[in-house]
Amino acid sequence: DTQEENGSDGVNPTSFTDAGLLHLIEGCKGLEKLTLNWFLHISEKGLVGIANRCRNLQSLALLVISC
């Protein structure tokens, strides 16, 4: 996979799930800014997890373009 196919950090957004997101935010409770682009398998469960665990979050950007 190239960096273009993956996110700029090397994470493939089309295979990242709620479970992965919840695992990530467990270690990042002081997170202030989060951008999720093209994360197609993130559901309401993942977003609620962010809201419940990331109390310092000031900015959440979501981008999914449907064709």
Side-chain angles (χ1 to χ4, degrees):
D1 290 335
T2 67
Q3 199 167 16
E4 225 172 79
E5 291 169 337
N6 293 326
S8 62
D9 58 1
V11 174
N12 184 344
T14 60
S15 63
F16 199 71
T17 64
D18 287 329
L21 178 61
L22 295 174
H23 181 74
L24 176 72
I25 61 178
E26 275 301 313
C28 300
K29 292 185 179 181
L31 194 65
E32 294 181 359
K33 182 178 180 182
L34 179 62
T35 301
L36 299 173
N37 293 335
W38 288 95
F39 286 88
L40 303 176
H41 300 288
I42 301 297
S43 71
E44 182 178 331
K45 179 181 178 181
L47 297 177
V48 169
I50 292 169
N52 288 336
R53 292 182 176 99
C54 299
R55 299 294 183 177
N56 294 327
L57 193 66
Q58 297 175 15
S59 172
L60 175 61
L62 305 171
L63 174 66
V64 176
I65 298 173
S66 174
C67 297

